[in-house]
Amino acid sequence: MGILEVKNVGKRFGGLQALGNVNLSVAENSVHAIIGPNGAGKSTLLNCLVGKLIPDTGSVMFDGQSVLGRAPHEINQMGISRVFQTPEIFGDLSVLENMMIPCFAKRDGAFEMNAITSVVSQKDVIAKAEAMLEDMNMADKRHMHAASLSRGDKRRLEIGMCLSQEPRLLLLDEPTAGMARADTNNTIDLLKQIKQDRDITIAIIEHDMHVVFSLAERITVLAQGTPLVEDSPENIKGHPKVREAYLGETAH
Amino acid sequence: MFALDKKDARLLLMVAVLTMLAPFILNPFPAGSEMAQFNAGYPDLMQRFVIFGIFAIGFNILFGLTGYLSFGHAAFLGVGSYSAVWMFKLLSMNVLPAIALSVVVAGLFSVVIGFISLRRSGIYFSILTLAFAQMSFALAYSVLTPITGGETGLQLALDDPRILDVAASATGNIPVPGLFGLEMRASTNLELGPWVFTFNVGYYFSALIMLAAFYLAIRIFRSPFGMMLRAIKSNQQRLNYTGLNARPYTLAAFVISGMYAGLAGGLMAAMDPLAGAERMFWTASGEVVLMTILGGAGTLIGPVLGAGFIKYMENIISKINESILHQWFYWLPDGLEDFVVAMIYPFIGKGWHLTLGLLFMAVVIFLPGGLVEGGQRIGRMFGRKKSEEKDKPSGKTTPAE
Ligand SMILES: Nc1ncnc2c1ncn2[C@@H]1O[C@H](COP(=O)(O)OP(=O)(O)OP(=O)(O)O)[C@@H](O)[C@H]1O
Ligand SMILES: [Mg+2]
């Protein structure tokens, strides 16, 4: 049994069957990649995992508990964090404040009426946030407005924010999309480091095959809302159906 | 000081000094002089400055921090006033229980209205709050007449129970609100040469409460709770996927700002013990929105400035009339005098709304951060090197929709 078990999940948008009948099992402490052409339903699948969408059919179990019918913040508090396809950060807040918010969420839960103590007196949270910024190599940017960061830094910040919650499952939706080669390689190193340093399961959606084959231990290929094959990276590379359905289209 | 950092403590101190010295500062012109009509240091207006300051400070906790634009906060102001007057009628003329009840009742009201309205965000939230406030106004005017006094408003009467107090004063009149014998309307004048300065009990009472309210707002702004509210305004999606539930945060902010409004309403009744439904009318809700945006939404001092500014215009600009203009420009050649007066005339007297409207548009377009941003720009122009904007949260960002 994997930490994440997706069974027979289907999702329809009007006339479009975005997800047909998805079965997916992600083993604990592995890196599992989900690849597939544009519009294959990869993001839709993630949305069904984190409570943004409710699937029409099927079940989603995380660590033996169903996530369906729970609000996004409840699912997150179960231990699932998500990095979005376009970075979602608190643009009006400083980088350090961005990092403090997930630390508060981890310490105090979904709501805490902490209205009279001052932020600066929350030494434990500040220390944790600063340590995470250090890990992300962003300590020098702590007082910057988050909205003014470069795209690569926004993504790093978002990944760091997710990590400060110490999630058991980290979901990444195209973390290197729109990045320059150097930034992409940095992200690969960062993710490898993360994997090495902690017990964490990572599910990653990615178009960039370099990233996929550098990180993934297991790959699921999604096409038109249904999983085509699931196998190890070596086998996926040579799989004729995959080459035809997916790799063929993007082969450089 | 008071667990505030240096900058906030300085701001609080500055506001404290300004409010305590307001009777002097607002009366710069000798009584009886031509400019005396610009004096704002009379009790009635000074009370309004601080009371509307409280209203706007509270509104800013909701709108400035979370970006949720309520268009119905006057309902809480009105509820606060009615509660206070009822306390005067039933219990005693002491203002403390009256104001306490105002805050509690407005808080309860805002729990209900907030709980329902916060199921939506953006324009739908605004419309829901507006609908609730207009409903309250209409009910207060009609079916709730036994509680609200309907069209005439709720007033004190000689045969009110006032169980802890006298029904009528020694002279046979209705007693006036006070604080342990200190009447709110009591004033002393200080005459210094041609200048007259008025010190009013009600003003100082309200001003002290405003300082407490301002202090509390600073604490909220600087707290983890305040940071969460700013995070809601910035990116609610990220907040939800960070394991935080936005709903109780926004509801708490809504109730706090509702209680501030109730406090302001209670103080209004304490200064002048009557309450009418028009206090809940939508224009009153709109006014606090204008005050907050004009002063600078999301900044600490902005709402107070905005409230003072609008109340000054309403009471001072509106009193300038045509003959006063002629007096000012008598030195011009006749034809030119008439021309200048005719040009200015639309902007004064009843035309103060026009002046305010134009000013508001100019601020929104050129100074999205309100008067506070204007002050910062002037400060920078004169080379005061202050890194204010770094610590003033969203002081320079556009007030959210
Ligand atoms: N909220 C929605 N309403 C209607 N249709 C949607 C919605 N979300 C996604 N779709 C459609 O569902 C299909 C799958 O979309 P999805 O975003 O999951 O694809 P994807 O695999 O993530 O693609 P990409 O690689 O471009 O990100 C697409 O055809 C998309 O247009
Ligand atoms: Mg996608």
Side-chain angles (χ1 to χ4, degrees):
Chain A
M1 263 276 281
I3 190 168
L4 181 72
E5 292 285 337
V6 177
K7 292 235 163 66
N8 304 323
V9 162
K11 181 74 197 173
R12 251 193 124 74
F13 294 120
L16 176 80
Q17 189 79 39
L19 292 177
N21 192 14
V22 177
N23 287 288
L24 178 74
S25 173
V26 177
E28 187 150 14
N29 289 332
S30 68
V31 179
H32 196 124
I34 299 162
I35 63 173
N38 288 113
K42 305 180 296 294
S43 297
T44 305
L45 178 59
L46 278 207
N47 288 340
C48 290
L49 305 185
V50 296
K52 191 169 186 184
L53 289 175
I54 298 165
D56 304 331
T57 59
S59 67
V60 179
M61 304 291 278
F62 173 71
D63 197 26
Q65 284 185 297
S66 175
V67 306
L68 300 185
R70 291 179 202 251
H73 68 270
E74 292 170 328
I75 296 175
N76 175 280
Q77 291 278 2
M78 290 168 77
I80 304 180
S81 280
R82 173 179 183 179
V83 171
F84 285 81
Q85 195 162 345
T86 45
E88 294 279 356
I89 53 172
F90 303 110
D92 298 333
L93 272 57
S94 76
V95 170
L96 180 61
E97 287 175 324
N98 265 272
M99 202 55 100
M100 286 172 75
I101 285 178
C103 299
F104 276 120
K106 177 73 185 171
R107 192 189 75 180
D108 300 338
F111 173 70
E112 174 79 34
M113 191 65 204
N114 217 340
I116 296 300
T117 55
S118 76
V119 171
V120 278
S121 70
Q122 311 288 305
K123 300 271 192 279
D124 55 327
V125 165
I126 295 177
K128 191 174 167 191
E130 295 203 314
M132 183 56 73
L133 284 176
E134 208 72 61
D135 283 358
M136 294 289 121
N137 251 328
M138 297 183 73
D140 53 327
K141 303 191 172 88
R142 55 151 83 68
H143 291 306
M144 272 175 75
H145 230 217
S148 58
L149 291 174
S150 73
R151 194 177 160 114
D153 278 342
K154 280 184 184 154
R155 173 56 30 84
R156 284 179 97 73
L157 176 61
E158 196 186 14
I159 293 175
M161 287 165 73
C162 288
L163 289 178
S164 2
Q165 292 192 280
E166 299 156 36
R168 298 180 59 201
L169 174 63
L170 178 64
L171 304 172
L172 299 154
D173 197 346
E174 304 194 26
T176 66
M179 272 190 193
R181 191 87 259 173
D183 266 346
T184 302
N185 286 334
N186 282 338
T187 309
I188 294 174
D189 293 341
L190 176 68
L191 292 173
K192 278 186 174 157
Q193 192 66 44
I194 290 166
K195 193 68 202 45
Q196 213 175 59
D197 292 350
R198 47 202 110 203
D199 289 334
I200 193 169
T201 312
I202 297 178
I204 179 169
I205 293 177
E206 192 48 81
H207 279 296
D208 187 331
M209 287 306 124
H210 172 58
V211 178
V212 172
F213 290 119
S214 312
L215 292 168
E217 296 154 37
R218 200 81 193 155
I219 297 176
T220 298
V221 183
L222 207 63
Q224 288 163 359
T226 32
L228 219 52
V229 276
E230 190 199 307
D231 218 326
S232 64
E234 298 73 41
N235 293 345
I236 292 286
K237 260 185 204 163
H239 204 288
K241 255 167 121 183
V242 176
R243 296 196 82 87
E244 177 195 342
Y246 184 64
L247 294 180
E249 296 178 16
T250 57
H252 309 290
Chain B
M1 191 178 71
F2 305 126
L4 297 180
D5 74 12
K6 254 210 205 107
K7 246 182 49 211
D8 292 337
R10 215 168 45 209
L11 184 67
L12 180 66
L13 202 68
M14 195 185 79
V15 174
V17 170
L18 288 180
T19 43
M20 289 302 118
L21 298 181
F24 295 107
I25 297 166
L26 295 174
N27 262 4
F29 308 111
S33 73
E34 210 168 283
M35 298 299 281
Q37 59 176 311
F38 289 107
N39 281 342
Y42 55 97
D44 198 33
L45 182 54
M46 287 197 297
Q47 289 166 2
R48 247 171 280 164
F49 282 151
V50 288
I51 291 173
F52 279 90
I54 293 171
F55 191 17
I57 290 170
F59 186 77
N60 189 43
I61 290 174
L62 178 70
F63 173 58
L65 290 180
T66 70
Y68 277 75
L69 176 54
S70 163
F71 246 108
H73 258 52
F76 308 128
L77 188 84
V79 166
S81 287
Y82 284 127
S83 309
V85 175
W86 270 112
M87 215 57 170
F88 292 141
K89 285 170 90 67
L90 298 178
L91 193 70
S92 88
M93 294 308 290
N94 190 318
V95 293
L96 291 182
I99 289 168
L101 187 74
S102 306
V103 175
V104 171
V105 174
L108 294 176
F109 251 69
S110 47
V111 168
V112 176
I113 295 184
F115 184 81
I116 299 168
S117 305
L118 286 165
R119 312 201 134 250
R120 293 281 169 272
S121 60
I123 186 75
Y124 299 102
F125 167 78
S126 304
I127 298 288
L128 278 171
T129 50
L130 176 64
F132 270 112
Q134 281 301 89
M135 195 173 77
S136 311
F137 165 76
L139 290 179
Y141 236 115
S142 53
V143 290
L144 292 179
T145 300
I147 303 174
T148 61
E151 284 178 37
T152 45
L154 190 62
Q155 291 168 353
L156 302 184
L158 280 170
D159 57 356
D160 287 331
R162 268 191 282 287
I163 48 178
L164 294 184
D165 207 336
V166 290
S169 68
T171 51
N173 293 319
I174 298 171
V176 294
L179 184 68
F180 307 113
L182 209 56
E183 288 184 5
M184 285 294 130
R185 62 175 188 191
S187 292
T188 13
N189 283 345
L190 172 69
E191 288 182 31
L192 290 176
W195 280 276
V196 182
F197 304 107
T198 310
F199 303 91
N200 171 259
V201 174
Y203 167 72
Y204 277 100
F205 178 72
S206 308
L208 287 175
I209 291 188
M210 190 205 77
L211 286 176
F214 186 61
Y215 171 68
L216 185 65
I218 300 181
R219 294 294 293 264
I220 291 174
F221 264 63
R222 302 295 182 234
S223 70
F225 173 73
M227 193 163 98
M228 294 302 172
L229 298 185
R230 284 190 290 130
I232 287 171
K233 178 174 174 177
S234 184
N235 190 343
Q236 194 161 340
Q237 156 132 316
R238 182 25 94 200
L239 195 87
N240 287 333
Y241 293 99
T242 308
L244 291 158
N245 191 358
R247 191 75 64 75
Y249 281 106
T250 45
L251 183 60
F254 191 89
V255 173
I256 291 171
S257 71
M259 289 166 85
Y260 267 80
L263 174 64
L267 276 173
M268 277 164 111
M271 298 304 116
D272 185 9
L274 49 85
E278 72 289 339
R279 233 164 247 187
M280 302 173 137
F281 197 55
W282 69 269
T283 51
S285 295
E287 195 179 52
V288 74
V289 179
L290 293 193
M291 288 172 179
T292 308
I293 294 178
L294 190 69
T299 64
L300 284 168
I301 191 70
V304 184
L305 291 180
F309 203 86
I310 288 184
K311 285 294 148 192
Y312 185 84
M313 302 244 323
E314 179 186 284
N315 289 281
I316 302 293
I317 307 285
S318 66
K319 277 197 208 114
I320 306 171
N321 58 30
E322 202 171 351
S323 66
I324 293 176
L325 281 183
H326 278 289
Q327 271 173 40
W328 287 351
F329 295 107
Y330 72 95
W331 45 275
L332 287 172
D334 262 357
L336 196 58
E337 178 186 333
D338 288 343
F339 177 73
V340 169
V341 169
M343 290 307 289
I344 300 179
Y345 183 68
F347 298 95
I348 52 144
K350 287 207 178 81
W352 78 274
H353 283 290
L354 179 62
T355 317
L356 179 65
L358 291 174
L359 199 93
F360 184 73
M361 283 194 278
V363 165
V364 169
I365 294 169
F366 299 109
L367 286 176
L371 297 175
V372 167
E373 190 187 338
Q376 285 172 348
R377 283 200 197 167
I378 292 171
R380 248 171 285 154
M381 234 161 25
F382 286 98
R384 271 197 303 145
K385 46 180 194 316
K386 266 197 185 168
S387 51
E388 298 251 43
E389 60 277 49
K390 194 177 75 197
D391 309 64
K392 280 233 170 85
S394 60
K396 57 178 197 154
T397 52
T398 329
E401 12 8 286

